[in-house]
Amino acid sequence: LKRFIDPEAFASLEAEEQRRRLLLLLFCSIALIPLFLYAIVDFRQGNLFESMVEGGAGIYLLYCMATLRSPGKIEWVYKTFLAIGVFLFGILAIDGGEHGSKVYYSFVYPTIAFFLLGTRKGLPWVIGFSLGLLIIFINPTDYHGINPYSIDVVIRFCVVFTLISFLNYSYEWVRENTQRDLEREKDKLRKATLQANAANKAKSDF
């Protein structure tokens, strides 16, 4: 794994994109273990649909790990990654688990969305995901397959989810602005260096 995520594999990419891909590779590597374990357990318990979903998600993560080494633009990988996250976390929210605890896995979604797409592109994904969870909580069709959530659980979840989303958005916004300022300073320093070299060369020629 250490050799697989070696930054030298991304030598042609910008530093920010290298960082994003390396951390995503690490996340995928860690997530593969529980996904395949859950797939095996659900298969043995007869939960074939959940087993297929978890196994399919694990296979897609393997594909992501291979694709992230590509030197080209792969924003579509990030977006499909988030779309699969919506599907997986949605299934967990519908199932609920013991005392509705499975829905709390959704707290990691804003962190992933803002990390992969930034504030401007990540915000619509977080808003859409939160609206989908609200539909599951409300269950307007009274579908019996959806875990019933009490109003207290829904309120607490929404407050915490909003707070996590706000903190992640704020952190990413500050980080993006800091990165832009650093890039501008680097450009100024680069231009100043070129001008100084040109002046020194002109002085030597004179």
Side-chain angles (χ1 to χ4, degrees), residues 7-195:
E8 292 182 0
F10 310 129
S12 62
L13 301 172
E14 296 179 354
E16 185 65 19
E17 183 66 13
Q18 290 182 16
R19 170 182 170 273
R20 182 181 293 113
R21 295 193 188 192
L22 287 171
L23 291 178
L24 187 57
L25 278 171
L26 181 61
F27 172 79
C28 290
S29 302
I30 296 173
L32 281 174
I33 299 174
L35 274 175
F36 283 128
L37 285 178
Y38 286 145
I40 294 172
V41 171
D42 284 330
F43 180 78
R44 296 185 65 179
Q45 293 178 350
N47 301 322
L48 298 182
F49 176 73
E50 291 187 4
S51 177
M52 290 176 60
V53 170
E54 292 157 352
I59 293 173
Y60 180 76
L61 289 186
L62 288 173
Y63 171 74
C64 281
M65 293 176 68
T67 307
L68 290 175
R69 295 176 65 90
S70 171
K73 294 183 178 180
I74 56 168
E75 185 175 301
W76 64 272
V77 174
Y78 301 149
K79 291 181 177 180
T80 53
F81 187 88
L82 290 176
I84 290 177
V86 171
F87 183 67
L88 287 177
F89 290 130
I91 290 177
L92 291 175
I94 291 172
D95 180 64
E98 186 176 357
H99 305 299
S101 59
K102 287 185 177 181
V103 73
Y104 297 123
Y105 287 111
S106 302
F107 287 146
V108 304
Y109 191 83
T111 304
I112 298 173
F114 290 129
F115 170 72
L116 291 179
L117 297 182
T119 54
R120 183 175 61 84
K121 295 181 179 179
L123 185 59
W125 284 86
V126 174
I127 293 175
F129 178 67
S130 60
L131 292 177
L133 288 179
L134 283 177
I135 293 175
I136 293 175
F137 291 149
I138 297 172
N139 191 10
T141 61
D142 292 327
Y143 177 60
H144 296 293
I146 297 179
N147 179 72
Y149 293 93
S150 66
I151 187 65
D152 292 336
V153 171
V154 173
I155 292 175
R156 286 198 298 269
F157 177 88
C158 290
V159 170
V160 175
F161 187 87
T162 302
L163 180 60
I164 291 174
S165 299
F166 174 76
L167 291 175
N168 278 279
Y169 180 92
S170 300
Y171 167 78
E172 188 64 24
W173 183 82
V174 172
R175 195 192 63 79
E176 287 177 352
N177 283 290
T178 302
Q179 186 68 26
R180 280 195 292 267
D181 291 340
L182 289 174
E183 290 297 328
R184 282 196 291 266
E185 292 300 323
K186 287 181 180 179
D187 288 338
K188 290 180 181 178
L189 180 59
R190 191 180 302 112
K191 291 178 180 178
T193 302
L194 291 174
Q195 290 175 355

